[in-house]
């Protein structure tokens, strides 16, 4: 780029090699205090207006912003979806901790593929941190080490909320509170030996005769050897908060060992209408038994099982509002509704809802005519039981009020929110635990996808990656708290 010649007068002002420029004389023998220096970039940007128009990279701002928008749209279309998209070699997923109020992970010696949360006396609707919860779980030890299987009674405390102080300025007055809220988590356990792997475990709690004592907590554990063992874990739970308490071997022995099933099973549920204890269990032969605890503490199963499924019984749920009614799900693709007063022990209603196994069901406690189902093909649905007709009646096949096929692997667990009948937690074999809001409705103009990502329905609230997740449960006393378990531990 050519420079303009210096505006000197006469040839005498031309510099020779090695000479330096001198200030011109102003006529009175004095030189100007400052001269005008050449701008070597003057020809590139002639004016301030040109600089503004070109933008930071030499292009107009509008052109650059349009390209950035196109790039952003391309990025959205490539959103990584756990369970669908595969990680490349060397890649791993990390959670965005800014989206969690609380997040903790726990590993145990052996995987616990079934667990249950135990209600406590710390209050309802609590939001203070650090949080505390109690739970029971059964292990799945290696086949050569079945003698190491155990029922774990757990207390998890010091569960702090996510530390966001990196993004926020904290005052000195809040330092003590922050230290308490961000305490290190503590796991305390009590072990009860089990003779076999746990297929499913559920807890049941009822008030004691003496109001000054802790509630009585029983567990029912379905074992791989087809036995069902019932334990009283009340002393184990009490020992966590009573220093010096010793658990005797007698206290760890089962109250009863039930042997009416000939094959193993995965279906079990405690009745919410029988304080002393009434238990539903199902097995791979399609048989369902009811076991009742009498006043003397004896556990007595019915002599005649409920039959009607052509496959294994995968899940059972008592009705939340009718003490004599329960529902069952089976690998034969049906869900059946039963009345325990039926002398025939046959189902009152039977509906074929899937061409694959129906693995899990959940009965809404808030809207008791709604039943959720999860199947082996990854589809889960919500049904209005008022549309289901007795087995003796013919008519159109019921259709679900909502159905989702977001998951591409089997549904392993699902559960209604304990206080909000529009919120659902779902676990699946694609290593994800998802949260859903059924209150989100579509209109004719609304996209069926979320943020332009194909196949992601607007009802999907949250996706949490959890390796080999098998079960999930809401905590009934900590709003929004979900706990899950799988091959990689608890979360």
């Amino acid at each position: 780029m050519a420079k303009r010649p210096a505006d000197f007068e006469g040839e005498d002002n031309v510099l020779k090699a090695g000479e330096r420029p001198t200030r011109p004389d102003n006529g009175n023998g004095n030189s100007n205090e400052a001269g005008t220096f050449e701008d070597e970039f003057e020809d590139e940007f002639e004016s301030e207006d040109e600089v503004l128009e070109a933008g930071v990279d030499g292009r107009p701002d509008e052109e650059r912003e349009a390209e950035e928008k196109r790039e952003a749209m391309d990025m959205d279309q490539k959103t990584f979806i756990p369970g669908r998209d595969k990680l490349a070699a060397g890649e791993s997923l990390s959670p965005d901790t800014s989206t969690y109020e609380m997040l903790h992970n726990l590993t145990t010696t052996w995987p616990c593929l079934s667990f249950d949360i135990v209600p406590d006396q710390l209050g309802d609707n609590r939001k203070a941190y650090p949080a505390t919860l109690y739970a029971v779980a059964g292990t799945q030890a290696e086949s050569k080490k079945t003698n190491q299987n155990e029922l774990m009674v757990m207390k998890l405390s010091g569960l702090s909320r996510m530390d966001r102080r990196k993004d926020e300025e904290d005052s000195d007055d809040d330092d003590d509170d922050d230290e308490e809220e961000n305490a290190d988590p503590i796991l305390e356990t009590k072990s009860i030996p089990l003779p076999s792997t746990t297929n499913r475990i559920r807890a049941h709690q009822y008030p004691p005769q003496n109001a000054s004592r802790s509630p009585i907590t029983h567990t029912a554990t379905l074992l791989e050897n087809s036995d069902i063992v019932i334990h009283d874990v009340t002393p184990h739970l009490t020992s966590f908060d009573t220093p010096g308490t010793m658990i005797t071997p007698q206290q760890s022995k089962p109250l009863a060992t039930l042997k009416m099933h000939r094959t193993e099973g995965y279906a079990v549920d405690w009745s919410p209408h029988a304080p002393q204890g009434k238990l539903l269990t199902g097995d791979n032969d399609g048989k369902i038994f009811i076991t009742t605890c009498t006043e003397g503490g004896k556990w007595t199963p019915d002599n005649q099982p409920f039959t009607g499924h052509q496959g294994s019984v995968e899940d059972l749920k008592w009705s939340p509002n009718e003490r004599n009614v329960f529902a069952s799900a089976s690998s034969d693709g049906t869900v059946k509704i039963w009345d325990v007063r039926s002398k025939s022990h046959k189902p009152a209603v039977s509906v074929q809802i899937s061409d694959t196994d129906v693995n899990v069901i959940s009965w809404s406690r808030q809207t008791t005519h709604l039943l959720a189902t999860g199947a082996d093909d990854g589809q889960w649905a919500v049904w209005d039981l008022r549309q289901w007709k007795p087995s003796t009646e013919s008519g159109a096949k019921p259709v679900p009020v909502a159905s989702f096929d977001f998951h591409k692997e089997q549904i392993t667990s699902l559960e209604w929110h304990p206080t909000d009948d529009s919120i659902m937690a779902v676990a699946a074999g694609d290593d994800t635990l998802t949260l859903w809001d059924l209150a989100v409705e579509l209109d004719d103009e609304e996209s069926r996808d979320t943020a332009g990502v194909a196949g992601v329905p607007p009802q999907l609230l949250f996706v949490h990656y959890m390796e080999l997740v098998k079960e999930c449960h809401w905590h009934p006393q900590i709003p929004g708290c979900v706990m899950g378990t799988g091959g990689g531990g608890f979360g």
Side-chain angles (χ1 to χ4, degrees), residues 313-345:
V313 179
E314 299 294 319
D315 202 3
L316 291 164
K317 286 291 182 294
W318 286 99
S319 167
N321 65 326
E322 296 189 48
R323 63 183 301 111
N324 296 310
V325 176
F326 69 89
S328 63
S330 172
S331 61
D332 62 14
T334 68
V335 171
K336 300 183 188 298
I337 307 297
W338 310 72
D339 189 328
V340 301
R341 295 167 295 187
S342 170
K343 295 181 179 180
S344 67
H345 282 208

Side-chain angles (χ1 to χ4, degrees), residues 140-459:
Q140 187 182 49
E142 293 178 359
S143 57
K144 297 180 180 180
K145 299 180 179 180
T146 55
N147 62 336
Q148 296 186 15
N149 279 300
E150 60 183 350
L151 189 164
M152 296 177 60
V153 185
M154 301 181 290
K155 176 184 179 182
L156 291 79
S157 58
L159 302 176
S160 60
R161 74 167 74 202
M162 301 306 298
D163 186 2
R164 296 190 176 91
R165 288 181 295 176
K166 296 179 181 179
D167 303 324
E168 300 176 358
E169 291 292 334
D170 295 333
S171 64
D172 295 338
D173 295 338
D174 295 335
D175 287 346
D176 293 339
D177 294 338
D178 290 340
E179 290 180 2
E180 182 178 352
E181 287 192 1
N182 293 284
D184 292 332
I186 300 171
L187 170 65
E188 302 171 74
T189 64
K190 301 295 180 182
S191 175
I192 298 175
L194 293 175
S196 181
T197 293
T198 296
N199 288 348
R200 193 70 56 88
I201 185 171
R202 291 292 180 264
H204 171 66
Q205 195 172 82
Y206 64 95
Q209 294 180 349
N210 186 345
S212 63
R213 303 185 62 181
S214 300
I216 298 172
T217 305
H218 290 164
T219 61
T221 309
L222 273 65
L223 300 178
E224 191 177 46
N225 64 8
S226 78
D227 288 351
I228 302 166
V229 288
I230 299 174
H231 288 88
D232 182 357
V233 297
T234 307
H236 305 76
L237 292 166
T238 303
S239 67
F240 292 132
D241 303 310
T242 309
T245 301
M246 298 295 293
I247 304 298
T248 66
Q250 184 64 32
Q251 290 175 314
S252 293
K253 290 184 178 180
L255 299 176
T257 300
L258 308 177
K259 295 180 176 292
M260 63 278 193
H261 292 284
R262 299 296 178 225
T263 58
E264 65 177 314
Y266 294 84
V268 58
D269 194 35
W270 291 95
S271 171
H273 311 292
Q276 296 296 323
K278 179 177 282 190
L279 192 66
L280 273 173
T281 54
D283 60 29
N284 288 350
D285 286 340
K287 296 179 180 180
I288 302 170
F289 285 89
I290 294 179
T291 302
T292 306
C293 181
T294 62
E295 291 294 334
K298 184 178 180 180
W299 296 85
T300 306
D302 288 351
N303 294 324
Q304 180 185 357
F306 292 83
T307 57
H309 283 296
Q310 301 304 309
S312 59
V313 179
E314 299 294 319
D315 202 3
L316 291 164
K317 286 291 182 294
W318 286 99
S319 167
N321 65 326
E322 296 189 48
R323 63 183 301 111
N324 296 310
V325 176
F326 69 89
S328 63
S330 172
S331 61
D332 62 14
T334 68
V335 171
K336 300 183 188 298
I337 307 297
W338 310 72
D339 189 328
V340 301
R341 295 167 295 187
S342 170
K343 295 181 179 180
S344 67
H345 282 208
K346 297 297 182 181
V349 179
S350 180
V351 176
Q352 186 82 32
I353 68 167
S354 177
D355 295 329
T356 62
D357 300 5
V358 182
N359 296 326
V360 287
I361 54 177
S362 181
W363 210 318
S364 173
R365 299 175 186 174
Q366 305 298 314
T367 307
T368 56
H369 59 264
L370 294 181
L371 184 77
T373 61
D376 220 40
D377 59 2
Q379 187 172 76
W380 72 274
V382 178
W383 305 82
D384 186 343
L385 296 180
R386 297 172 299 183
Q387 299 177 1
W388 289 16
K389 303 301 181 183
S391 302
T392 56
E393 296 184 16
S394 60
K397 182 180 178 181
V399 295
V401 296
S403 180
F404 302 94
D405 59 359
F406 170 79
H407 293 285
K408 301 307 178 185
E409 298 291 340
Q410 71 273 16
I411 304 299
T412 60
S413 181
L414 81 170
E415 188 171 280
W416 292 94
H417 189 284
T419 59
D420 190 335
D421 60 1
S422 67
I423 304 298
M424 180 74 69
V426 179
D430 55 14
D431 297 334
T432 61
L433 195 165
T434 55
L435 303 182
W436 300 75
D437 185 358
L438 302 179
V440 177
E441 297 180 357
L442 298 176
D443 55 37
D444 293 339
E445 298 179 358
E446 189 174 2
S447 170
R448 298 191 63 85
D449 301 325
T450 299
V453 182
V456 180
Q459 292 86 353

Side-chain angles (χ1 to χ4, degrees), residues 113-115 200 202 412-413 427 469-473 483-485:
L113 304 187
S114 183
F115 78 102
R200 193 70 56 88
R202 291 292 180 264
T412 60
S413 181
V469 59
K470 294 298 182 183
E471 277 191 11
C472 61
H473 298 295
M483 186 173 177
T485 188

Side-chain angles (χ1 to χ4, degrees), residues 34-100:
T36 302
F37 289 93
E38 186 68 31
D39 182 1
E40 63 176 329
F41 299 108
E42 184 175 356
D43 289 347
E44 185 173 352
F45 298 111
E46 294 296 337
S47 68
E48 184 178 355
D49 292 339
E50 286 185 13
V51 174
L52 294 176
E53 181 180 353
V56 295
D57 59 356
R59 295 180 300 161
D61 289 341
E62 293 182 359
E63 179 182 340
R64 187 182 67 259
E65 290 172 358
E67 181 176 336
E68 290 175 352
K69 185 175 181 180
R70 288 193 300 271
E71 292 177 351
M73 293 177 63
D74 292 340
M75 183 67 70
D76 286 343
Q77 294 172 0
K78 299 175 183 178
T79 299
F80 185 92
I81 303 177
R84 292 191 187 179
D85 300 326
K86 302 299 182 182
L87 293 171
E91 291 183 336
S92 61
L93 287 178
S94 296
D96 180 0
T97 56
S98 67
T99 63
Y100 295 83

Side-chain angles (χ1 to χ4, degrees), residues 96-138:
D96 180 0
T97 56
S98 67
T99 63
Y100 295 83
E101 180 74 10
M102 177 175 69
L103 177 63
H104 295 278
N105 297 304
L106 165 69
T107 56
T108 52
T109 304
W110 298 111
C112 298
L113 304 187
S114 183
F115 78 102
D116 205 5
I117 293 175
V118 179
D120 54 53
Q121 305 302 300
L122 300 179
D124 296 332
N125 196 35
R126 56 184 191 262
K127 302 177 182 178
Y129 290 91
T132 298
L133 64 84
Y134 301 81
V136 292

